[in-house]
Amino acid sequence: MTIFRSMAGALMLATAALSQAAAEKSIESNEQGTGYSLEFSYPAVIAEHPALQQMVLAERQTQLTQLKQWGKDWVSENPERAVETDMESFITWQTVANLPRFLSLTKDIWDYSGGAHGNWWRSSIVWDKQLGTVRKPIEMFVDKQAFDRVMHERFCEALDTERARKDGQEPVAGKDDAEYWQDWMERCPKPSELDIILGSSDRKTFNRLAVYVGIYTVGPYVEGDYEIDLPVTANLIAAVKPEYRGVFAVSPKSAAKARER
């Protein structure tokens, strides 16, 4: 399992371009038993919000319970290999942006539960410090359709460019969901259906944004995942729910281009 553990370590150490994680302390808790292991960490800022910390630790317990069951089943079916730890999970929470009212976080999970390789994925949430509630970033917009109207074309263009960079082929126009079964490796899913990650360069407003595309979503396992950075524009802010618009700002690069015009 050394190869898998090294892969997981590399994934967990790599931070998203939007992340503030490098400068903060983390709280770690590792547990290993017969047939399973769990390595878990979250930024210390989560502990400043008891309800959020309780949610995070409850998720840890759920994952640990599942791993223990998998490990028990593994040992039962493979008694001669009971000393091996073949059910592994690495879960890392990271701070993307810590604003006066909101805390933007990502959760990276890497799992191995048998087979040729492990799997990984990323999700994101926004914690409202004022209300003590959690929501998905997309919920801060008027609706998914409003978000897609502004971001879909830009997202597809950027995704196709990244695909071309990975496979060395010329970019192709991303296909929409209706053509999914024709060629899923060229499809362009609606960004609202994926994980939206909100970031900040000034720690005051959300002026950075990325769309996370997990493995197998638009290509084979070997292609890996994508994190597509997109600008926060005035048009996008217009698609934000009125009560949240004040916490969004146009991306610095977009603002500079607007001034040039």
Side-chain angles (χ1 to χ4, degrees), residues 174-188:
K175 299 180 179 179
D176 62 27
D177 285 336
E179 299 177 275
Y180 176 87
W181 295 113
Q182 293 181 32
D183 191 344
W184 68 279
M185 288 187 290
E186 291 182 7
R187 72 183 285 249
C188 182

Side-chain angles (χ1 to χ4, degrees), residues 147-160 174 188-191 230:
F147 182 86
D148 287 333
R149 277 194 296 271
V150 178
M151 304 301 282
H152 193 215
E153 184 176 350
R154 291 174 180 170
F155 168 69
C156 291
E157 290 176 355
L159 176 61
D160 285 338
C188 182
K190 293 181 174 64
L230 296 169

Side-chain angles (χ1 to χ4, degrees), residues 60-86:
R60 176 191 181 277
Q61 186 57 47
T62 297
Q63 183 71 3
L64 182 60
T65 299
Q66 181 67 76
L67 278 173
K68 287 181 176 180
Q69 185 59 54
W70 285 344
K72 181 179 179 180
D73 294 343
W74 166 258
V75 171
S76 176
E77 296 168 7
N78 305 274
E80 74 285 359
R81 298 175 62 183
V83 295
E84 299 180 14
T85 303
D86 266 30

